[in-house]
Amino acid sequence: SIASADMDLNQLEAFLTAQTKKQGGITSDQAAAIAKFWKNHRIKIHESLINQRRWDNILKNMNWRVDLKSQSRHIDQINTPVAIVEMELGKNGQ
């Protein structure tokens, strides 16, 4: 929860205080250890999470257009816009 929310020190303190007050929660010593660890490693943990969620693929090319129907059996379908998007993905570095 701490890492996914990328909590600042105020949020961390409030979260850990709530966890110590919960029945079956953590002790104040555990909360202090977690707070110290988070303060020392927050940036590394955040960068690691970002790298895990990043795609290996990159967008190499993109084409798009908007088409309008000019003929139809039903008058209400004429001039209905349709967007067509073509994306070409490639591996990073290739």
PDB file of all heavy atoms in Angstrom, residues 43-79:
ATOM      1  N   ILE A  43      12.851   6.229  -3.127  1.00  0.00           N
ATOM      2  CA  ILE A  43      13.130   6.519  -4.541  1.00  0.00           C
ATOM      3  C   ILE A  43      13.440   5.239  -5.306  1.00  0.00           C
ATOM      4  O   ILE A  43      12.931   5.022  -6.415  1.00  0.00           O
ATOM      5  CB  ILE A  43      14.270   7.548  -4.659  1.00  0.00           C
ATOM      6  CG1 ILE A  43      13.801   8.884  -4.079  1.00  0.00           C
ATOM      7  CG2 ILE A  43      14.724   7.711  -6.096  1.00  0.00           C
ATOM      8  CD1 ILE A  43      14.886   9.929  -3.950  1.00  0.00           C
ATOM      9  N   LYS A  44      14.265   4.357  -4.725  1.00  0.00           N
ATOM     10  CA  LYS A  44      14.610   3.097  -5.397  1.00  0.00           C
ATOM     11  C   LYS A  44      13.378   2.228  -5.614  1.00  0.00           C
ATOM     12  O   LYS A  44      13.211   1.626  -6.671  1.00  0.00           O
ATOM     13  CB  LYS A  44      15.641   2.327  -4.570  1.00  0.00           C
ATOM     14  CG  LYS A  44      17.005   2.955  -4.533  1.00  0.00           C
ATOM     15  CD  LYS A  44      17.924   2.139  -3.640  1.00  0.00           C
ATOM     16  CE  LYS A  44      19.242   2.852  -3.412  1.00  0.00           C
ATOM     17  NZ  LYS A  44      20.090   2.132  -2.447  1.00  0.00           N
ATOM     18  N   ILE A  45      12.530   2.154  -4.614  1.00  0.00           N
ATOM     19  CA  ILE A  45      11.314   1.343  -4.716  1.00  0.00           C
ATOM     20  C   ILE A  45      10.382   1.907  -5.787  1.00  0.00           C
ATOM     21  O   ILE A  45       9.853   1.176  -6.617  1.00  0.00           O
ATOM     22  CB  ILE A  45      10.594   1.261  -3.357  1.00  0.00           C
ATOM     23  CG1 ILE A  45      11.459   0.500  -2.351  1.00  0.00           C
ATOM     24  CG2 ILE A  45       9.229   0.610  -3.500  1.00  0.00           C
ATOM     25  CD1 ILE A  45      10.972   0.604  -0.918  1.00  0.00           C
ATOM     26  N   HIS A  46      10.217   3.235  -5.793  1.00  0.00           N
ATOM     27  CA  HIS A  46       9.349   3.878  -6.782  1.00  0.00           C
ATOM     28  C   HIS A  46       9.864   3.638  -8.207  1.00  0.00           C
ATOM     29  O   HIS A  46       9.091   3.285  -9.102  1.00  0.00           O
ATOM     30  CB  HIS A  46       9.255   5.369  -6.481  1.00  0.00           C
ATOM     31  CG  HIS A  46       8.336   6.115  -7.378  1.00  0.00           C
ATOM     32  ND1 HIS A  46       6.967   5.941  -7.357  1.00  0.00           N
ATOM     33  CD2 HIS A  46       8.571   7.034  -8.337  1.00  0.00           C
ATOM     34  CE1 HIS A  46       6.416   6.714  -8.256  1.00  0.00           C
ATOM     35  NE2 HIS A  46       7.364   7.386  -8.867  1.00  0.00           N
ATOM     36  N   GLU A  47      11.164   3.799  -8.425  1.00  0.00           N
ATOM     37  CA  GLU A  47      11.744   3.565  -9.753  1.00  0.00           C
ATOM     38  C   GLU A  47      11.598   2.109 -10.172  1.00  0.00           C
ATOM     39  O   GLU A  47      11.322   1.817 -11.337  1.00  0.00           O
ATOM     40  CB  GLU A  47      13.210   3.980  -9.760  1.00  0.00           C
ATOM     41  CG  GLU A  47      13.404   5.478  -9.719  1.00  0.00           C
ATOM     42  CD  GLU A  47      14.870   5.889  -9.582  1.00  0.00           C
ATOM     43  OE1 GLU A  47      15.748   5.000  -9.442  1.00  0.00           O
ATOM     44  OE2 GLU A  47      15.133   7.100  -9.614  1.00  0.00           O
ATOM     45  N   SER A  48      11.750   1.190  -9.234  1.00  0.00           N
ATOM     46  CA  SER A  48      11.589  -0.228  -9.538  1.00  0.00           C
ATOM     47  C   SER A  48      10.163  -0.544  -9.971  1.00  0.00           C
ATOM     48  O   SER A  48       9.948  -1.283 -10.937  1.00  0.00           O
ATOM     49  CB  SER A  48      11.964  -1.066  -8.316  1.00  0.00           C
ATOM     50  OG  SER A  48      11.722  -2.430  -8.556  1.00  0.00           O
ATOM     51  N   LEU A  49       9.187   0.021  -9.282  1.00  0.00           N
ATOM     52  CA  LEU A  49       7.789  -0.200  -9.666  1.00  0.00           C
ATOM     53  C   LEU A  49       7.490   0.363 -11.048  1.00  0.00           C
ATOM     54  O   LEU A  49       6.775  -0.250 -11.845  1.00  0.00           O
ATOM     55  CB  LEU A  49       6.851   0.424  -8.634  1.00  0.00           C
ATOM     56  CG  LEU A  49       6.768  -0.292  -7.286  1.00  0.00           C
ATOM     57  CD1 LEU A  49       5.903   0.504  -6.321  1.00  0.00           C
ATOM     58  CD2 LEU A  49       6.222  -1.690  -7.457  1.00  0.00           C
ATOM     59  N   ILE A  50       8.033   1.522 -11.351  1.00  0.00           N
ATOM     60  CA  ILE A  50       7.820   2.119 -12.677  1.00  0.00           C
ATOM     61  C   ILE A  50       8.437   1.240 -13.756  1.00  0.00           C
ATOM     62  O   ILE A  50       7.822   0.988 -14.787  1.00  0.00           O
ATOM     63  CB  ILE A  50       8.398   3.548 -12.726  1.00  0.00           C
ATOM     64  CG1 ILE A  50       7.532   4.480 -11.880  1.00  0.00           C
ATOM     65  CG2 ILE A  50       8.483   4.052 -14.161  1.00  0.00           C
ATOM     66  CD1 ILE A  50       8.104   5.861 -11.719  1.00  0.00           C
ATOM     67  N   ASN A  51       9.645   0.751 -13.524  1.00  0.00           N
ATOM     68  CA  ASN A  51      10.313  -0.099 -14.517  1.00  0.00           C
ATOM     69  C   ASN A  51       9.575  -1.415 -14.728  1.00  0.00           C
ATOM     70  O   ASN A  51       9.565  -1.945 -15.842  1.00  0.00           O
ATOM     71  CB  ASN A  51      11.754  -0.363 -14.107  1.00  0.00           C
ATOM     72  CG  ASN A  51      12.625   0.864 -14.281  1.00  0.00           C
ATOM     73  OD1 ASN A  51      12.346   1.724 -15.116  1.00  0.00           O
ATOM     74  ND2 ASN A  51      13.675   0.964 -13.498  1.00  0.00           N
ATOM     75  N   GLN A  52       8.952  -1.957 -13.698  1.00  0.00           N
ATOM     76  CA  GLN A  52       8.202  -3.203 -13.835  1.00  0.00           C
ATOM     77  C   GLN A  52       6.956  -3.011 -14.678  1.00  0.00           C
ATOM     78  O   GLN A  52       6.493  -3.936 -15.325  1.00  0.00           O
ATOM     79  CB  GLN A  52       7.789  -3.733 -12.464  1.00  0.00           C
ATOM     80  CG  GLN A  52       8.926  -4.279 -11.657  1.00  0.00           C
ATOM     81  CD  GLN A  52       8.483  -4.665 -10.252  1.00  0.00           C
ATOM     82  OE1 GLN A  52       7.291  -4.759  -9.970  1.00  0.00           O
ATOM     83  NE2 GLN A  52       9.436  -4.878  -9.367  1.00  0.00           N
ATOM     84  N   ARG A  53       6.385  -1.822 -14.674  1.00  0.00           N
ATOM     85  CA  ARG A  53       5.144  -1.579 -15.399  1.00  0.00           C
ATOM     86  C   ARG A  53       5.357  -1.008 -16.795  1.00  0.00           C
ATOM     87  O   ARG A  53       4.426  -0.818 -17.544  1.00  0.00           O
ATOM     88  CB  ARG A  53       4.245  -0.641 -14.590  1.00  0.00           C
ATOM     89  CG  ARG A  53       3.552  -1.382 -13.478  1.00  0.00           C
ATOM     90  CD  ARG A  53       3.321  -0.535 -12.278  1.00  0.00           C
ATOM     91  NE  ARG A  53       2.644  -1.223 -11.204  1.00  0.00           N
ATOM     92  CZ  ARG A  53       3.213  -2.068 -10.369  1.00  0.00           C
ATOM     93  NH1 ARG A  53       4.481  -2.348 -10.508  1.00  0.00           N
ATOM     94  NH2 ARG A  53       2.549  -2.645  -9.403  1.00  0.00           N
ATOM     95  N   ARG A  54       6.584  -0.726 -17.143  1.00  0.00           N
ATOM     96  CA  ARG A  54       6.875  -0.146 -18.446  1.00  0.00           C
ATOM     97  C   ARG A  54       6.857  -1.235 -19.507  1.00  0.00           C
ATOM     98  O   ARG A  54       7.327  -2.336 -19.302  1.00  0.00           O
ATOM     99  CB  ARG A  54       8.262   0.504 -18.390  1.00  0.00           C
ATOM    100  CG  ARG A  54       8.573   1.323 -19.619  1.00  0.00           C
ATOM    101  CD  ARG A  54       9.891   2.023 -19.476  1.00  0.00           C
ATOM    102  NE  ARG A  54       9.804   2.991 -18.399  1.00  0.00           N
ATOM    103  CZ  ARG A  54      10.861   3.421 -17.729  1.00  0.00           C
ATOM    104  NH1 ARG A  54      12.049   2.964 -17.981  1.00  0.00           N
ATOM    105  NH2 ARG A  54      10.716   4.298 -16.763  1.00  0.00           N
ATOM    106  N   TRP A  55       6.327  -0.907 -20.653  1.00  0.00           N
ATOM    107  CA  TRP A  55       6.307  -1.840 -21.777  1.00  0.00           C
ATOM    108  C   TRP A  55       7.701  -1.993 -22.339  1.00  0.00           C
ATOM    109  O   TRP A  55       8.500  -1.063 -22.351  1.00  0.00           O
ATOM    110  CB  TRP A  55       5.431  -1.320 -22.902  1.00  0.00           C
ATOM    111  CG  TRP A  55       3.964  -1.421 -22.699  1.00  0.00           C
ATOM    112  CD1 TRP A  55       3.308  -1.820 -21.584  1.00  0.00           C
ATOM    113  CD2 TRP A  55       2.976  -1.096 -23.661  1.00  0.00           C
ATOM    114  NE1 TRP A  55       1.964  -1.768 -21.790  1.00  0.00           N
ATOM    115  CE2 TRP A  55       1.724  -1.322 -23.040  1.00  0.00           C
ATOM    116  CE3 TRP A  55       3.008  -0.641 -24.962  1.00  0.00           C
ATOM    117  CZ2 TRP A  55       0.534  -1.113 -23.713  1.00  0.00           C
ATOM    118  CZ3 TRP A  55       1.833  -0.427 -25.620  1.00  0.00           C
ATOM    119  CH2 TRP A  55       0.610  -0.669 -24.995  1.00  0.00           C
ATOM    120  N   ASP A  56       7.981  -3.178 -22.883  1.00  0.00           N
ATOM    121  CA  ASP A  56       9.211  -3.363 -23.635  1.00  0.00           C
ATOM    122  C   ASP A  56       9.046  -2.828 -25.053  1.00  0.00           C
ATOM    123  O   ASP A  56      10.022  -2.564 -25.739  1.00  0.00           O
ATOM    124  CB  ASP A  56       9.593  -4.843 -23.704  1.00  0.00           C
ATOM    125  CG  ASP A  56      10.109  -5.354 -22.371  1.00  0.00           C
ATOM    126  OD1 ASP A  56      10.618  -4.541 -21.581  1.00  0.00           O
ATOM    127  OD2 ASP A  56      10.012  -6.565 -22.137  1.00  0.00           O
ATOM    128  N   ASN A  57       7.813  -2.716 -25.490  1.00  0.00           N
ATOM    129  CA  ASN A  57       7.541  -2.237 -26.841  1.00  0.00           C
ATOM    130  C   ASN A  57       7.486  -0.715 -26.876  1.00  0.00           C
ATOM    131  O   ASN A  57       7.193  -0.068 -25.892  1.00  0.00           O
ATOM    132  CB  ASN A  57       6.214  -2.788 -27.351  1.00  0.00           C
ATOM    133  CG  ASN A  57       6.251  -4.275 -27.563  1.00  0.00           C
ATOM    134  OD1 ASN A  57       7.284  -4.835 -27.871  1.00  0.00           O
ATOM    135  ND2 ASN A  57       5.130  -4.929 -27.373  1.00  0.00           N
ATOM    136  N   ILE A  58       7.783  -0.184 -28.048  1.00  0.00           N
ATOM    137  CA  ILE A  58       7.665   1.256 -28.268  1.00  0.00           C
ATOM    138  C   ILE A  58       6.769   1.471 -29.483  1.00  0.00           C
ATOM    139  O   ILE A  58       6.611   0.589 -30.314  1.00  0.00           O
ATOM    140  CB  ILE A  58       9.039   1.925 -28.486  1.00  0.00           C
ATOM    141  CG1 ILE A  58       9.751   1.336 -29.701  1.00  0.00           C
ATOM    142  CG2 ILE A  58       9.895   1.813 -27.248  1.00  0.00           C
ATOM    143  CD1 ILE A  58      10.986   2.108 -30.118  1.00  0.00           C
ATOM    144  N   LEU A  59       6.188   2.647 -29.570  1.00  0.00           N
ATOM    145  CA  LEU A  59       5.368   3.008 -30.717  1.00  0.00           C
ATOM    146  C   LEU A  59       6.285   3.501 -31.826  1.00  0.00           C
ATOM    147  O   LEU A  59       6.968   4.503 -31.680  1.00  0.00           O
ATOM    148  CB  LEU A  59       4.371   4.101 -30.320  1.00  0.00           C
ATOM    149  CG  LEU A  59       3.415   4.579 -31.396  1.00  0.00           C
ATOM    150  CD1 LEU A  59       2.510   3.434 -31.850  1.00  0.00           C
ATOM    151  CD2 LEU A  59       2.583   5.736 -30.884  1.00  0.00           C
ATOM    152  N   LYS A  60       6.341   2.748 -32.933  1.00  0.00           N
ATOM    153  CA  LYS A  60       7.224   3.109 -34.049  1.00  0.00           C
ATOM    154  C   LYS A  60       6.523   4.010 -35.055  1.00  0.00           C
ATOM    155  O   LYS A  60       7.137   4.876 -35.648  1.00  0.00           O
ATOM    156  CB  LYS A  60       7.731   1.836 -34.745  1.00  0.00           C
ATOM    157  CG  LYS A  60       8.640   0.985 -33.882  1.00  0.00           C
ATOM    158  CD  LYS A  60       9.043  -0.266 -34.603  1.00  0.00           C
ATOM    159  CE  LYS A  60      10.260   0.045 -35.449  1.00  0.00           C
ATOM    160  NZ  LYS A  60      10.849  -1.154 -36.058  1.00  0.00           N
ATOM    161  N   ASN A  61       5.229   3.771 -35.247  1.00  0.00           N
ATOM    162  CA  ASN A  61       4.513   4.531 -36.264  1.00  0.00           C
ATOM    163  C   ASN A  61       3.030   4.515 -35.927  1.00  0.00           C
ATOM    164  O   ASN A  61       2.524   3.555 -35.349  1.00  0.00           O
ATOM    165  CB  ASN A  61       4.745   3.908 -37.646  1.00  0.00           C
ATOM    166  CG  ASN A  61       4.222   4.782 -38.750  1.00  0.00           C
ATOM    167  OD1 ASN A  61       4.038   5.981 -38.588  1.00  0.00           O
ATOM    168  ND2 ASN A  61       3.969   4.174 -39.906  1.00  0.00           N
ATOM    169  N   MET A  62       2.352   5.594 -36.297  1.00  0.00           N
ATOM    170  CA  MET A  62       0.914   5.660 -36.079  1.00  0.00           C
ATOM    171  C   MET A  62       0.269   6.393 -37.243  1.00  0.00           C
ATOM    172  O   MET A  62       0.731   7.453 -37.647  1.00  0.00           O
ATOM    173  CB  MET A  62       0.599   6.380 -34.771  1.00  0.00           C
ATOM    174  CG  MET A  62      -0.873   6.358 -34.433  1.00  0.00           C
ATOM    175  SD  MET A  62      -1.211   7.047 -32.834  1.00  0.00           S
ATOM    176  CE  MET A  62      -1.961   8.580 -33.327  1.00  0.00           C
ATOM    177  N   ASN A  63      -0.785   5.805 -37.775  1.00  0.00           N
ATOM    178  CA  ASN A  63      -1.575   6.433 -38.833  1.00  0.00           C
ATOM    179  C   ASN A  63      -3.027   6.469 -38.364  1.00  0.00           C
ATOM    180  O   ASN A  63      -3.496   5.548 -37.704  1.00  0.00           O
ATOM    181  CB  ASN A  63      -1.511   5.614 -40.133  1.00  0.00           C
ATOM    182  CG  ASN A  63      -0.113   5.604 -40.706  1.00  0.00           C
ATOM    183  OD1 ASN A  63       0.522   6.639 -40.818  1.00  0.00           O
ATOM    184  ND2 ASN A  63       0.370   4.422 -41.046  1.00  0.00           N
ATOM    185  N   TRP A  64      -3.720   7.532 -38.723  1.00  0.00           N
ATOM    186  CA  TRP A  64      -5.122   7.626 -38.353  1.00  0.00           C
ATOM    187  C   TRP A  64      -5.874   8.416 -39.398  1.00  0.00           C
ATOM    188  O   TRP A  64      -5.291   9.176 -40.167  1.00  0.00           O
ATOM    189  CB  TRP A  64      -5.302   8.249 -36.972  1.00  0.00           C
ATOM    190  CG  TRP A  64      -4.867   9.691 -36.900  1.00  0.00           C
ATOM    191  CD1 TRP A  64      -3.615  10.151 -36.686  1.00  0.00           C
ATOM    192  CD2 TRP A  64      -5.692  10.840 -37.072  1.00  0.00           C
ATOM    193  NE1 TRP A  64      -3.595  11.517 -36.699  1.00  0.00           N
ATOM    194  CE2 TRP A  64      -4.855  11.971 -36.920  1.00  0.00           C
ATOM    195  CE3 TRP A  64      -7.046  11.032 -37.318  1.00  0.00           C
ATOM    196  CZ2 TRP A  64      -5.345  13.267 -37.023  1.00  0.00           C
ATOM    197  CZ3 TRP A  64      -7.521  12.322 -37.412  1.00  0.00           C
ATOM    198  CH2 TRP A  64      -6.679  13.414 -37.259  1.00  0.00           C
ATOM    199  N   ARG A  65      -7.176   8.176 -39.431  1.00  0.00           N
ATOM    200  CA  ARG A  65      -8.040   8.946 -40.322  1.00  0.00           C
ATOM    201  C   ARG A  65      -9.461   8.869 -39.797  1.00  0.00           C
ATOM    202  O   ARG A  65      -9.814   7.996 -39.009  1.00  0.00           O
ATOM    203  CB  ARG A  65      -7.958   8.439 -41.756  1.00  0.00           C
ATOM    204  CG  ARG A  65      -8.609   7.095 -41.984  1.00  0.00           C
ATOM    205  CD  ARG A  65      -8.570   6.708 -43.459  1.00  0.00           C
ATOM    206  NE  ARG A  65      -9.483   5.625 -43.724  1.00  0.00           N
ATOM    207  CZ  ARG A  65      -9.110   4.401 -44.061  1.00  0.00           C
ATOM    208  NH1 ARG A  65      -7.829   4.112 -44.207  1.00  0.00           N
ATOM    209  NH2 ARG A  65     -10.012   3.480 -44.289  1.00  0.00           N
ATOM    210  N   VAL A  66     -10.277   9.791 -40.237  1.00  0.00           N
ATOM    211  CA  VAL A  66     -11.692   9.799 -39.888  1.00  0.00           C
ATOM    212  C   VAL A  66     -12.475   9.689 -41.189  1.00  0.00           C
ATOM    213  O   VAL A  66     -12.273  10.479 -42.112  1.00  0.00           O
ATOM    214  CB  VAL A  66     -12.083  11.092 -39.129  1.00  0.00           C
ATOM    215  CG1 VAL A  66     -13.582  11.120 -38.868  1.00  0.00           C
ATOM    216  CG2 VAL A  66     -11.303  11.196 -37.825  1.00  0.00           C
ATOM    217  N   ASP A  67     -13.314   8.683 -41.254  1.00  0.00           N
ATOM    218  CA  ASP A  67     -14.156   8.463 -42.436  1.00  0.00           C
ATOM    219  C   ASP A  67     -15.597   8.866 -42.110  1.00  0.00           C
ATOM    220  O   ASP A  67     -16.055   8.731 -40.989  1.00  0.00           O
ATOM    221  CB  ASP A  67     -14.157   6.984 -42.837  1.00  0.00           C
ATOM    222  CG  ASP A  67     -12.825   6.527 -43.399  1.00  0.00           C
ATOM    223  OD1 ASP A  67     -11.992   7.384 -43.746  1.00  0.00           O
ATOM    224  OD2 ASP A  67     -12.616   5.294 -43.486  1.00  0.00           O
ATOM    225  N   LEU A  68     -16.301   9.348 -43.154  1.00  0.00           N
ATOM    226  CA  LEU A  68     -17.731   9.659 -43.036  1.00  0.00           C
ATOM    227  C   LEU A  68     -18.487   8.825 -44.056  1.00  0.00           C
ATOM    228  O   LEU A  68     -18.072   8.701 -45.202  1.00  0.00           O
ATOM    229  CB  LEU A  68     -17.992  11.138 -43.299  1.00  0.00           C
ATOM    230  CG  LEU A  68     -17.406  12.129 -42.307  1.00  0.00           C
ATOM    231  CD1 LEU A  68     -17.633  13.550 -42.784  1.00  0.00           C
ATOM    232  CD2 LEU A  68     -18.050  11.941 -40.947  1.00  0.00           C
ATOM    233  N   LYS A  69     -19.592   8.230 -43.617  1.00  0.00           N
ATOM    234  CA  LYS A  69     -20.431   7.472 -44.550  1.00  0.00           C
ATOM    235  C   LYS A  69     -21.152   8.439 -45.461  1.00  0.00           C
ATOM    236  O   LYS A  69     -21.788   9.388 -45.001  1.00  0.00           O
ATOM    237  CB  LYS A  69     -21.459   6.649 -43.785  1.00  0.00           C
ATOM    238  CG  LYS A  69     -21.047   5.254 -43.521  1.00  0.00           C
ATOM    239  CD  LYS A  69     -22.229   4.465 -42.991  1.00  0.00           C
ATOM    240  CE  LYS A  69     -21.792   3.050 -42.769  1.00  0.00           C
ATOM    241  NZ  LYS A  69     -22.858   2.254 -42.192  1.00  0.00           N
ATOM    242  N   SER A  70     -21.065   8.205 -46.766  1.00  0.00           N
ATOM    243  CA  SER A  70     -21.754   9.089 -47.703  1.00  0.00           C
ATOM    244  C   SER A  70     -23.006   8.434 -48.285  1.00  0.00           C
ATOM    245  O   SER A  70     -23.848   9.116 -48.852  1.00  0.00           O
ATOM    246  CB  SER A  70     -20.820   9.511 -48.833  1.00  0.00           C
ATOM    247  OG  SER A  70     -20.376   8.373 -49.539  1.00  0.00           O
ATOM    248  N   GLN A  71     -23.116   7.102 -48.162  1.00  0.00           N
ATOM    249  CA  GLN A  71     -24.304   6.410 -48.639  1.00  0.00           C
ATOM    250  C   GLN A  71     -24.707   5.362 -47.606  1.00  0.00           C
ATOM    251  O   GLN A  71     -23.859   4.728 -46.989  1.00  0.00           O
ATOM    252  CB  GLN A  71     -24.031   5.695 -49.961  1.00  0.00           C
ATOM    253  CG  GLN A  71     -23.819   6.623 -51.124  1.00  0.00           C
ATOM    254  CD  GLN A  71     -23.601   5.827 -52.405  1.00  0.00           C
ATOM    255  OE1 GLN A  71     -23.310   4.649 -52.373  1.00  0.00           O
ATOM    256  NE2 GLN A  71     -23.759   6.491 -53.527  1.00  0.00           N
ATOM    257  N   SER A  72     -26.015   5.207 -47.452  1.00  0.00           N
ATOM    258  CA  SER A  72     -26.523   4.209 -46.526  1.00  0.00           C
ATOM    259  C   SER A  72     -27.991   3.958 -46.817  1.00  0.00           C
ATOM    260  O   SER A  72     -28.664   4.789 -47.415  1.00  0.00           O
ATOM    261  CB  SER A  72     -26.353   4.695 -45.083  1.00  0.00           C
ATOM    262  OG  SER A  72     -26.865   3.731 -44.191  1.00  0.00           O
ATOM    263  N   ARG A  73     -28.472   2.819 -46.393  1.00  0.00           N
ATOM    264  CA  ARG A  73     -29.900   2.529 -46.553  1.00  0.00           C
ATOM    265  C   ARG A  73     -30.737   3.411 -45.638  1.00  0.00           C
ATOM    266  O   ARG A  73     -31.872   3.712 -45.924  1.00  0.00           O
ATOM    267  CB  ARG A  73     -30.195   1.066 -46.221  1.00  0.00           C
ATOM    268  CG  ARG A  73     -29.710   0.124 -47.255  1.00  0.00           C
ATOM    269  CD  ARG A  73     -30.148  -1.270 -46.909  1.00  0.00           C
ATOM    270  NE  ARG A  73     -29.708  -2.184 -47.953  1.00  0.00           N
ATOM    271  CZ  ARG A  73     -29.883  -3.483 -47.919  1.00  0.00           C
ATOM    272  NH1 ARG A  73     -30.482  -4.024 -46.882  1.00  0.00           N
ATOM    273  NH2 ARG A  73     -29.467  -4.232 -48.900  1.00  0.00           N
ATOM    274  N   HIS A  74     -30.162   3.769 -44.495  1.00  0.00           N
ATOM    275  CA  HIS A  74     -30.888   4.574 -43.527  1.00  0.00           C
ATOM    276  C   HIS A  74     -30.255   5.960 -43.445  1.00  0.00           C
ATOM    277  O   HIS A  74     -29.057   6.104 -43.301  1.00  0.00           O
ATOM    278  CB  HIS A  74     -30.859   3.905 -42.147  1.00  0.00           C
ATOM    279  CG  HIS A  74     -31.384   2.506 -42.174  1.00  0.00           C
ATOM    280  ND1 HIS A  74     -32.727   2.225 -42.300  1.00  0.00           N
ATOM    281  CD2 HIS A  74     -30.747   1.310 -42.112  1.00  0.00           C
ATOM    282  CE1 HIS A  74     -32.890   0.913 -42.305  1.00  0.00           C
ATOM    283  NE2 HIS A  74     -31.709   0.332 -42.196  1.00  0.00           N
ATOM    284  N   ILE A  75     -31.052   6.973 -43.555  1.00  0.00           N
ATOM    285  CA  ILE A  75     -30.588   8.359 -43.602  1.00  0.00           C
ATOM    286  C   ILE A  75     -29.826   8.756 -42.332  1.00  0.00           C
ATOM    287  O   ILE A  75     -28.899   9.556 -42.371  1.00  0.00           O
ATOM    288  CB  ILE A  75     -31.757   9.335 -43.875  1.00  0.00           C
ATOM    289  CG1 ILE A  75     -31.249  10.729 -44.196  1.00  0.00           C
ATOM    290  CG2 ILE A  75     -32.681   9.425 -42.690  1.00  0.00           C
ATOM    291  CD1 ILE A  75     -31.100  10.967 -45.642  1.00  0.00           C
ATOM    292  N   ASP A  76     -30.208   8.170 -41.176  1.00  0.00           N
ATOM    293  CA  ASP A  76     -29.553   8.568 -39.922  1.00  0.00           C
ATOM    294  C   ASP A  76     -28.120   8.054 -39.811  1.00  0.00           C
ATOM    295  O   ASP A  76     -27.363   8.481 -38.944  1.00  0.00           O
ATOM    296  CB  ASP A  76     -30.381   8.130 -38.710  1.00  0.00           C
ATOM    297  CG  ASP A  76     -30.579   6.624 -38.641  1.00  0.00           C
ATOM    298  OD1 ASP A  76     -30.506   5.965 -39.691  1.00  0.00           O
ATOM    299  OD2 ASP A  76     -30.810   6.124 -37.524  1.00  0.00           O
ATOM    300  N   GLN A  77     -27.700   7.142 -40.709  1.00  0.00           N
ATOM    301  CA  GLN A  77     -26.329   6.638 -40.677  1.00  0.00           C
ATOM    302  C   GLN A  77     -25.387   7.441 -41.582  1.00  0.00           C
ATOM    303  O   GLN A  77     -24.182   7.239 -41.537  1.00  0.00           O
ATOM    304  CB  GLN A  77     -26.305   5.169 -41.083  1.00  0.00           C
ATOM    305  CG  GLN A  77     -26.974   4.268 -40.076  1.00  0.00           C
ATOM    306  CD  GLN A  77     -26.956   2.809 -40.521  1.00  0.00           C
ATOM    307  OE1 GLN A  77     -26.665   2.490 -41.673  1.00  0.00           O
ATOM    308  NE2 GLN A  77     -27.289   1.925 -39.588  1.00  0.00           N
ATOM    309  N   ILE A  78     -25.926   8.345 -42.387  1.00  0.00           N
ATOM    310  CA  ILE A  78     -25.092   9.164 -43.266  1.00  0.00           C
ATOM    311  C   ILE A  78     -24.352  10.197 -42.423  1.00  0.00           C
ATOM    312  O   ILE A  78     -24.886  10.748 -41.468  1.00  0.00           O
ATOM    313  CB  ILE A  78     -25.945   9.831 -44.357  1.00  0.00           C
ATOM    314  CG1 ILE A  78     -26.529   8.751 -45.278  1.00  0.00           C
ATOM    315  CG2 ILE A  78     -25.129  10.832 -45.155  1.00  0.00           C
ATOM    316  CD1 ILE A  78     -27.429   9.276 -46.351  1.00  0.00           C
ATOM    317  N   ASN A  79     -23.128  10.472 -42.786  1.00  0.00           N
ATOM    318  CA  ASN A  79     -22.242  11.421 -42.104  1.00  0.00           C
ATOM    319  C   ASN A  79     -21.897  11.012 -40.670  1.00  0.00           C
ATOM    320  O   ASN A  79     -21.568  11.839 -39.838  1.00  0.00           O
ATOM    321  CB  ASN A  79     -22.818  12.838 -42.107  1.00  0.00           C
ATOM    322  CG  ASN A  79     -22.859  13.423 -43.496  1.00  0.00           C
ATOM    323  OD1 ASN A  79     -22.027  13.093 -44.343  1.00  0.00           O
ATOM    324  ND2 ASN A  79     -23.825  14.269 -43.746  1.00  0.00           N
TER     325      ASN A  79
END
